[in-house]
Amino acid sequence: MGKAIRLSGLIILLATLLAPAGLAAQETRRHSMLVLDQSDRRDAFYYQVFAGLRDAVSAHGHAPTTVYTESLDLNRFGGETYQDGFRRFLEEKYRDRPIGVVVAVGAAALELAIRWRPQLWPNTPIVFALVEEADFRRMRPPPDVTGSILSLKFKDAVTAARAVVPKLNTVVVVGADWEQQVLFHNWKDQVAAGIPGLDIVEIVGRPMPDVIEQLAALPDHSAIIYTGLYSDGKGNYYPPSDALAAVAAKAHRPIVVAAETLLEPGGIGGFVIVPSLIGADAAQRALRILDGEAPESLPPSVIDAVKPIFNWRQMRRWNVSEANLPQGSEIRFREPSFLERYRWRAIALGTALLVQTLLIGFLLHERLMRRKAEVDASNQQSQLAHINRQATAGELSSSIAHELNQPLGSILTNAESAELILSSPAPDLQEVREIISDIKRDDLRASEVIRRMRSLLKRAPFEKKEIDLNQTMREAFDFLKLQASARNVAIYLQTSPQTLWVKGDPVQLQQVILNLAVNSMDAMAKMPYGRTIIGRTEVNGAASAVISICDSGPGIPQERLNEIFDPFFTTKEQGMGIGLSIARTIVLAHSGQIWAENQSGGGAAFHLSLPLAA
Ligand code: ADP
């Protein structure tokens, strides 16, 4: 038993020796802090100080820390009686709440904290924040009081004013009475000392209506430096940010400010205090003390919590270029440009447009190429058609020669007769006149033959005009007449009693008719007798006209009825196989149709239907 006691005593001793050095101090400090604000914590600026502090405490994490806050509200309240009453209030309120560290926010709060400490929080370290350099020097706090010192220079505000008004010659300092200003009261001397080459107008400690009236009439090259207004002088108090909003609405010059929280209500910016940094620094010092560090080991130091920050909206209003701002300036409230705001939509739209443009380009190119191919094809077709016509004309040449010979022969005979009559002693002039008129008629016949031949052979571009299909058919059959009789074929033409107006190229359509008729003659060449071709034109309903060429030949084998229209399909020894394919191309170009069939009584029938002209 006695052995066991000795052993446990040894363990306790060892544990004590191995424990961290600061443990003893930590045990004596309560993890609690009292934040004493000199102002009203609900004001945006002090709220941000507190937010910075609270965030740092939350981030600390390893020991729960109780944070109490009290606002002294010294912008609005003051005097010995008030202060004494507040002290007693604190004494009562925190009687049973031990405080590990007091955090004083602002020089005035620090002053009171130091004064009240012996009575309220004996031996409790104090951490201060938001204490201006000059105040710190004046107060010379004891060594167990630590914190961050703020350096606020009036000349920095002037530098900012020069950045926003390039030819600055006047600054107007606007604020509450210097004595009432808890943060900027040290600027009183700096303002009084003046800045070379600059007029400084003070509108300090004036009632709000006066301030607004004076600000409405400022010279061009001037800027306002706003430190803070808290009351209208008639017992009405307001947060300095609200007062700034009222001033900014009336002032027609840019307003340089010295606190981050004054940017949004209308300040153009400047070297501004960032309150959350100050709160965070105070929290870190306080937590280290609560964790056991001696306040003396954390000496006061100047904090880097004043940053050049500007308000983009006000910069636009006063036409301030970003390039004029002090180096390292941050710009707040920048509104994204149209492109930045709609970046993805713009990219999507741009891509869609690009794709569309490429597609259109591609399609246009395709169309161009197709057109070219069509033109090439059509050139080749018209060349082929021309060759085909030449071939047809060749086939018809013997009959054409015959057709020409007839009128020429009778012209000769008539001319010889006329000669004879004229050489007689008493020529019968009346007879001569008749002979001459016969000669003229024959001559016209001959030239008509030549005209038809030429029109068939001419290589004209495809040209549609309104024509009468009956007429076209008649001319083509006239052409065929002699050839038919030479080949012992009887040809008949039955035209529709009604004029068949279609839009077409008469030469090309004649070529189709000739091709079909010559094919029929070829097909019947081996027949000993009964070679017949019947041509017919008729209306089909109200919309189309149909031409038919029927023969009494052997017909077309059923399986070849479609094949025969293919290019180069031929069953003839000397055939080219292009006649029907050209015929089909021509008919299709007239928006028509061509087909072949075998007649029930024998022989082939070719039909082509063409739309009637409206
Ligand atoms: P080609 O006359 O040079 O042969 P076509 O394209 O004009 O070329 O005719 C193609 C083929 O169609 C002919 O070789 C023939 O076999 C057939 N054909 C055309 N017309 C008739 C017809 N009226 N009767 C019988 N077969 C025909």
Side-chain angles (χ1 to χ4, degrees):
M1 184 75 173
K3 225 176 182 185
I5 291 168
R6 270 205 306 280
L7 194 63
S8 63
L10 191 67
I11 291 170
I12 292 167
L13 183 74
L14 267 176
T16 317
L17 285 175
L18 290 173
L23 191 66
Q26 198 180 344
E27 270 173 352
T28 57
R29 289 235 190 284
R30 295 302 291 256
H31 258 259
S32 63
M33 61 174 87
L34 171 63
V35 181
L36 206 56
D37 266 327
Q38 69 180 357
S39 198
D40 180 3
R41 191 168 54 79
R42 280 158 302 181
D43 170 74
F45 182 83
Y46 287 88
Y47 183 80
Q48 284 302 317
V49 174
F50 181 73
L53 179 139
R54 190 196 48 212
D55 290 350
V57 170
S58 309
H60 183 60
H62 69 258
T65 306
T66 311
V67 179
Y68 303 106
T69 60
E70 296 298 340
S71 294
L72 287 159
D73 213 352
L74 295 177
N75 298 113
R76 294 188 280 193
F77 301 93
E80 277 303 316
T81 323
Y82 169 70
Q83 289 172 6
D84 204 44
F86 205 97
R87 182 190 54 75
R88 275 188 276 115
F89 162 71
L90 292 180
E91 194 171 17
E92 276 311 311
K93 188 172 174 183
Y94 294 94
R95 189 177 292 283
D96 302 324
R97 305 292 166 99
I99 301 295
V101 63
V102 174
V103 177
V105 180
L110 176 60
E111 228 159 349
L112 289 176
I114 292 173
R115 200 183 327 147
W116 293 341
R117 179 161 68 162
Q119 207 173 342
L120 297 185
W121 318 288
N123 302 322
T124 304
I126 298 176
V127 170
F128 63 82
L130 206 70
V131 170
E132 212 274 320
E133 232 173 353
D135 291 329
F136 177 75
R137 273 200 305 272
R138 182 171 46 78
M139 281 159 51
R140 276 194 275 134
D144 62 345
V145 172
T146 182
S148 64
I149 301 161
L150 198 56
S151 172
L152 297 174
K153 295 191 183 76
F154 176 63
K155 72 172 175 35
D156 283 348
V158 172
T159 305
R162 287 209 161 104
V164 297
V165 180
K167 287 181 193 154
L168 184 82
N169 56 27
T170 308
V171 293
V172 182
V173 181
V174 174
D177 204 37
W178 288 120
E179 272 60 48
Q180 230 193 339
Q181 294 203 35
V182 286
L183 207 51
F184 293 101
H185 61 100
N186 291 317
W187 279 12
K188 183 185 180 184
D189 297 338
Q190 296 178 36
V191 169
I195 302 254
L198 194 68
D199 282 344
I200 304 178
V201 179
E202 282 185 56
I203 308 181
V204 168
R206 305 299 304 275
M208 186 61 121
D210 279 13
V211 175
I212 286 176
E213 195 188 314
Q214 288 193 48
L215 292 185
L218 293 181
D220 270 358
H221 299 292
S222 64
I224 297 162
I225 294 177
Y226 178 84
T227 56
L229 288 165
Y230 311 101
S231 89
D232 62 358
K234 293 180 188 157
N236 296 317
Y237 291 88
Y238 28 67
S241 49
D242 287 8
L244 174 60
V247 167
K250 293 283 176 332
H252 68 283
R253 295 304 304 156
I255 303 172
V256 171
V257 290
E260 188 193 25
T261 46
L262 295 178
L263 283 167
E264 203 169 1
I268 197 165
F271 290 87
V272 299
I273 309 169
V274 181
S276 55
L277 294 177
I278 292 169
D281 181 275
Q284 268 139 20
R285 284 174 193 261
L287 289 166
R288 283 171 72 176
I289 291 168
L290 292 179
D291 282 349
E293 284 188 54
E296 293 81 359
S297 66
L298 307 165
S301 57
V302 174
I303 186 171
D304 180 20
V306 175
K307 312 273 182 195
I309 304 179
F310 290 83
N311 178 347
W312 189 80
R313 291 182 210 136
Q314 293 291 328
M315 284 170 65
R316 297 237 355 224
R317 178 176 169 200
W318 299 107
N319 212 5
V320 174
S321 151
E322 213 171 318
N324 288 354
L325 300 184
Q327 223 187 348
S329 291
E330 184 187 328
I331 295 175
R332 294 270 173 89
F333 315 119
R334 196 196 287 270
E335 273 159 30
S337 67
F338 179 82
L339 252 190
E340 284 164 339
R341 193 176 308 170
Y342 298 110
R343 192 153 166 242
W344 290 112
R345 265 179 269 183
I347 288 174
L349 195 73
T351 314
L353 275 177
L354 189 73
V355 170
Q356 201 181 36
T357 312
L358 287 175
L359 206 67
I360 291 172
F362 173 73
L363 290 175
L364 281 176
H365 178 74
E366 277 287 282
R367 202 174 102 132
L368 204 74
M369 297 312 283
R370 206 179 59 218
R371 273 279 169 83
K372 202 171 161 294
E374 274 170 13
V375 169
D376 286 354
S378 129
N379 280 346
Q380 277 165 8
Q381 263 169 22
S382 72
Q383 217 169 336
L384 262 183
H386 181 68
I387 292 169
N388 177 248
R389 284 201 295 275
Q390 280 177 325
T392 314
E395 280 184 55
L396 300 177
S397 59
S398 56
S399 50
I400 289 162
H402 184 79
E403 207 175 347
L404 273 178
N405 267 341
Q406 257 194 345
L408 289 178
S410 53
I411 287 170
L412 186 65
T413 317
N414 276 326
E416 282 168 355
S417 310
E419 245 177 7
L420 273 175
I421 292 168
L422 287 171
S423 59
S424 72
D428 181 350
L429 286 179
Q430 181 51 37
E431 202 173 345
V432 172
R433 251 184 233 112
E434 278 167 20
I435 287 173
I436 288 172
S437 111
D438 283 352
I439 289 175
K440 267 169 76 185
R441 190 200 59 224
D442 288 335
D443 183 81
L444 281 174
R445 241 179 86 191
S447 51
E448 175 60 16
V449 173
I450 289 165
R451 185 194 64 77
R452 267 193 269 138
M453 192 68 182
R454 278 178 65 189
S455 80
L456 187 69
L457 287 178
K458 85 171 173 217
R459 199 172 159 179
F462 181 63
E463 199 182 2
K464 276 192 195 171
K465 57 184 178 189
E466 211 148 285
I467 50 167
D468 173 13
L469 266 192
N470 286 338
Q471 180 61 22
T472 310
M473 192 72 162
R474 264 182 228 115
E475 284 187 16
F477 269 65
D478 277 351
F479 233 139
L480 289 164
K481 238 187 278 166
L482 273 165
Q483 172 79 351
S485 76
R487 297 181 70 171
N488 217 2
V489 176
I491 61 170
Y492 304 98
L493 175 62
Q494 299 168 359
T495 54
S496 106
Q498 181 186 340
T499 318
L500 301 177
W501 292 112
V502 297
K503 280 204 133 191
D505 182 324
V507 176
Q508 301 233 10
L509 289 176
Q510 267 180 24
Q511 182 179 357
V512 175
I513 298 161
L514 293 180
N515 279 355
L516 296 177
V518 170
N519 272 348
S520 288
M521 291 185 203
D522 289 347
M524 297 183 293
K526 289 192 179 141
M527 286 170 57
Y529 51 84
R531 302 167 187 174
T532 314
I533 292 176
I534 301 171
R536 201 179 292 126
T537 63
E538 55 203 332
V539 278
N540 178 22
S544 55
V546 176
I547 291 177
S548 304
I549 306 287
C550 309
D551 62 44
S552 55
I556 304 152
Q558 198 63 27
E559 68 280 5
R560 286 192 173 155
L561 277 174
N562 286 323
E563 219 179 336
I564 52 172
F565 292 98
D566 291 345
F568 310 114
F569 175 85
T570 181
T571 53
K572 301 172 196 167
E573 247 169 59
Q574 303 296 321
M576 286 205 290
I578 57 167
L580 288 180
S581 110
I582 283 169
R584 186 178 58 179
T585 308
I586 291 172
V587 173
L588 288 179
H590 283 79
S591 312
Q593 283 173 306
I594 183 167
W595 67 100
E597 61 181 1
N598 288 311
Q599 301 176 93
S600 51
F606 284 80
H607 309 281
L608 54 110
S609 94
L610 296 167
L612 283 169

